[in-house]
């Protein structure tokens, strides 16, 4: 029996994993510029955290969660996103208090039972951040600025930032009613399942990909008319700051997002280099979530960015970085003398990345392996070399070979690599 990775998952193989490391390293560096600190939360949480946090009627909660009962009869769920767990941990560990701003970032797998396709997986990975304790538009702008900086740092140039405001709870309640009123004829024509879905979450009709729904909603009322003055001012100030940051953006009145916790600001960054799954990231403000899951009223805002999608966008733009050689040198060891092992140990201690043949096969075989390994140098140690007190260091691309004293080998290779 040949086992396969489960549908919607993928192995991240050597070569690719270096790109992941580079992308994660870059994310950490950008987060540090704004004072975000890393949080790592468990892979699973109590199911109720997500039901309450993301919204009982959202597609993620009703259809996509990996939920199971453990042997103690508890209902647990593999995290479908990082915000609710980060906020749970923030509350449980008292990471902030009244008037205090807390900045957290994370790099995490997420699990959603979705139909797999290009850019959509059942185990996907996100980089994300949460800015907790500030209700200002400046906080939203900081999150967006950091997000765009990361993409620019990675070399993703083709970006569209879409922003919208969803207002606060009251305005949304009134708007939902207006939408349902407007959509009544459409709802009558839909399947039971679709009708129930849209009735519990009418805003999703606005960004539906179904052409029937799109056509029916073309003239739907917009939320703008229902927006409270406070949300309107917040949004205007955000747009003003985005303008001063030099960020190009589009106001998209139909951007609603799939999770229920959003209030006021929502945004996505899209890439024309991705296909149907064109959202590189998504985020926004969620001023009610913390209270919803048992904390004091605390405003917050954040974003999560798909790692696979960032890599797909880079690949489509031909901007993926080259992967580095797995080692600086391949040591061809032709002696059983312990002195040879001491040389190797010493070179590694001084930072030389060394490959060897653990089988210590013939000189010919080891040379062949050195050529195939991708390492730029081969260093030969046999009994003769030990006697003379020097190793043969060969640059494989040019064939140039030198006798080098063991204590000078690392320096010799390093300066050649830097040249
Ligand atoms: P989200 O829009 O559900 O938001 O996901 C954010 C990003 O994660 C998406 O734009 C996409 O790049 C990536 N992503 C999500 N699901 C998949 C999947 N099945 N396959 C591949 N990539 C995927 C959230 O998760 C919120 N927690 C974001 C947030 C943080 N809002 C406030 N703070």
């Amino acid at each position: 029996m040949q086992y396969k990775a489960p549908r919607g998952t993928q192995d991240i193989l050597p070569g690719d994993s270096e790109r992941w490391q580079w992308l994660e390293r870059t994310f950490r560096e950008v987060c540090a510029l704004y004072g975000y600190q890393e949080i790592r939360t468990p892979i699973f949480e109590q199911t109720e955290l997500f039901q309450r946090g993301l919204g009982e009627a959202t597609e993620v909660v009703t259809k996509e969660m990996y939920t199971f009962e453990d042997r103690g009869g508890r209902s647990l769920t593999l995290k479908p996103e990082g915000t609710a767990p980060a906020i749970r941990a923030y509350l449980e560990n008292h990471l902030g208090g009244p008037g205090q701003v807390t900045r957290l970032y994370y790099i995490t797998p997420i699990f959603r039972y979705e139909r797999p396709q290009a850019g959509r997986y059942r185990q996907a990975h996100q980089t994300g951040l949460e800015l907790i304790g500030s209700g200002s538009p400046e906080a939203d702008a900081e999150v967006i600025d950091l997000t765009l900086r990361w993409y620019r740092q990675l070399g993703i140039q083709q970006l569209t930032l879409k922003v919208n405001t969803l207002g606060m709870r009251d305005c949304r309640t009134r708007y939902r009613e207006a939408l349902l009123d407007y959509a009544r004829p459409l709802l009558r024509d839909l399947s039971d399942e679709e009708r129930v879905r849209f009735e519990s979450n009418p805003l999703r009709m606005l960004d539906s990909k179904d052409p029937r729904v799109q056509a029916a909603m073309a003239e739907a009322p917009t939320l703008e008319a229902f927006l409270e003055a406070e949300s309107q001012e917040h949004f205007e100030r955000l747009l003003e700051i985005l303008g001063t940051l030099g960020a190009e953006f589009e106001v998209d009145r139909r951007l609603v997002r799939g999770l229920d916790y959003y209030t006021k600001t929502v945004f996505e960054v899209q890439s024309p280099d991705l296909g149907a799954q064109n959202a590189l990231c998504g985020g926004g403000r969620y001023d009610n979530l913390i209270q919803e899951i048992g904390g004091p009223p605390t405003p917050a805002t954040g974003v999560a960015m798909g790692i696979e999608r960032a890599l797909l966008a880079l690949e489509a733009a031909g901007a993926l970085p080259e992967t580095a050689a797995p080692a600086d040198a391949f040591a061809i060891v032709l002696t059983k003398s312990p002195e040879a092992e001491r040389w190797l140990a010493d070179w590694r201690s001084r930072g030389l990345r060394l490959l060897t043949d653990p089988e210590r096969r013939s000189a010919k075989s080891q040379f062949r392996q050195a050529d195939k390994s991708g390492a730029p140098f081969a260093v030969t140690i046999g009994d003769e070399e030990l006697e003379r007190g020097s190793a043969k260091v060969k640059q494989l691309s040019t064939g140039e070979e030198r006798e080098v004293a063991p204590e000078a080998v690392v320096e010799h290779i390093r300066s050649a690599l830097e040249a």
Side-chain angles (χ1 to χ4, degrees):
M1 163 105 188
Q2 265 269 312
Y3 293 107
K4 288 187 162 173
R7 188 163 143 75
T9 70
Q10 46 181 0
D11 299 311
I12 296 151
L13 301 175
D16 277 344
S17 59
E18 279 171 43
R19 293 182 170 132
W20 282 65
Q21 289 168 17
W22 158 76
L23 188 144
E24 291 167 9
R25 198 167 50 241
T26 311
F27 181 66
R28 292 176 196 283
E29 285 165 8
V30 173
C31 284
L33 295 177
Y34 298 74
Y36 286 74
Q37 292 179 298
E38 185 177 17
I39 185 163
R40 303 188 190 197
T41 65
I43 289 293
F44 52 79
E45 296 273 353
Q46 286 174 49
T47 300
E48 205 188 312
L49 172 71
F50 299 115
Q51 290 169 331
R52 287 204 69 113
L54 315 191
E56 302 267 7
T58 55
E59 224 151 285
V60 173
V61 169
T62 54
K63 288 193 182 161
E64 295 173 358
M65 295 208 301
Y66 280 89
T67 297
F68 61 97
E69 196 174 283
D70 76 0
R71 288 171 192 272
R74 303 168 191 89
S75 179
L76 300 172
T77 294
L78 301 185
K79 58 174 141 173
E81 60 104 58
T83 305
I87 296 301
R88 195 265 313 132
Y90 161 87
L91 288 171
E92 183 174 346
N93 299 288
H94 312 289
L95 300 185
Q100 227 178 309
V101 170
T102 305
R103 290 179 171 87
L104 303 173
Y105 81 82
Y106 48 83
I107 301 175
T108 183
I110 57 162
F111 304 88
R112 297 183 189 180
Y113 192 79
E114 296 195 86
R115 197 145 42 80
Q117 61 181 83
R120 192 160 76 191
Y121 312 94
R122 290 183 173 169
Q123 176 175 340
H125 298 79
Q126 290 181 338
T127 55
L129 39 117
E130 313 298 345
L131 193 167
I132 307 161
S134 169
S136 76
E138 282 77 0
D140 296 338
E142 175 178 308
V143 168
I144 294 174
D145 182 49
L146 190 162
T147 302
L148 295 175
R149 186 183 294 274
W150 183 55
Y151 286 133
R152 279 198 296 268
Q153 206 101 312
L154 293 178
I156 301 180
Q157 308 291 352
Q158 295 268 49
L159 298 171
T160 312
L161 167 63
K162 296 201 165 177
V163 288
N164 190 19
T165 178
L166 299 180
M168 295 189 285
R169 201 181 267 148
D170 288 349
C171 116
R172 259 233 303 292
T173 308
R174 283 185 292 121
Y175 181 52
R176 286 162 89 113
E177 281 163 17
L179 268 185
L180 281 176
D181 269 351
Y182 171 87
R184 204 146 279 149
L186 165 74
L187 290 170
R188 269 200 296 274
D189 291 342
L190 295 177
S191 69
D192 285 349
E193 194 198 325
E194 285 171 313
R195 188 168 51 247
V196 168
R197 184 152 58 89
F198 286 141
E199 277 173 351
S200 56
N201 202 350
L203 266 63
R204 289 321 304 252
M205 289 188 283
L206 295 173
D207 70 346
S208 166
K209 297 212 161 96
D210 180 339
R212 271 180 320 164
V213 181
Q214 279 179 0
M217 298 308 285
E219 303 285 310
T222 62
L223 185 122
E224 239 181 319
F226 297 79
L227 213 54
E228 355 21 31
E230 184 190 327
S231 298
Q232 182 65 35
E233 278 161 29
H234 184 103
F235 193 52
E236 279 164 15
R237 174 69 185 136
L238 171 66
L239 300 186
E240 190 180 56
I241 307 168
L242 291 179
T244 62
L245 290 174
E248 276 180 42
F249 60 86
E250 274 171 36
V251 174
D252 179 354
R253 295 287 177 192
R254 286 176 177 261
L255 182 68
V256 296
R257 316 258 314 116
L259 305 164
D260 269 1
Y261 50 58
Y262 292 107
T263 51
K264 296 186 180 164
T265 310
V266 286
F267 70 93
E268 277 185 11
V269 176
Q270 299 177 351
S271 161
D273 291 328
L274 297 174
Q277 304 303 315
N278 66 352
L280 278 170
C281 72
R285 172 162 289 289
Y286 50 94
D287 288 345
N288 301 329
L289 174 67
I290 297 176
Q291 213 173 0
E292 196 65 49
I293 60 179
T298 312
T301 180
V303 63
M305 300 153 252
I307 296 183
E308 290 85 351
R309 291 192 192 173
L311 288 168
L312 284 170
L314 282 165
E315 192 183 354
L320 271 182
E322 293 290 320
T323 53
D328 302 317
F330 193 105
I332 292 164
V333 185
L334 304 169
T335 168
K336 295 247 183 285
S337 163
E339 184 63 6
E341 305 301 328
R342 276 197 287 275
W343 285 13
L344 298 181
D346 174 53
W347 296 339
R348 287 197 175 107
S349 300
R350 291 199 265 151
L352 192 70
R353 300 179 308 141
L354 266 184
L355 273 169
T356 61
D357 172 12
E359 304 286 332
R360 305 282 195 261
R361 275 168 281 216
S362 69
K364 199 171 151 201
S365 163
Q366 289 192 46
F367 259 110
R368 206 177 308 125
Q369 293 176 60
D371 271 328
K372 269 175 70 180
S373 73
F377 285 87
V379 185
T380 308
I381 321 171
D383 290 322
E384 282 172 31
E385 282 78 11
L386 288 178
E387 229 163 77
R388 280 201 302 274
S390 62
K392 282 203 195 90
V393 180
K394 184 173 182 182
Q395 186 151 17
L396 292 167
S397 59
T398 59
E400 188 193 322
E401 192 171 70
R402 287 250 199 116
E403 293 257 345
V404 182
E407 60 281 1
V409 162
V410 176
E411 202 32 55
H412 174 79
I413 292 179
R414 201 162 279 156
S415 49
L417 285 175
E418 278 163 13

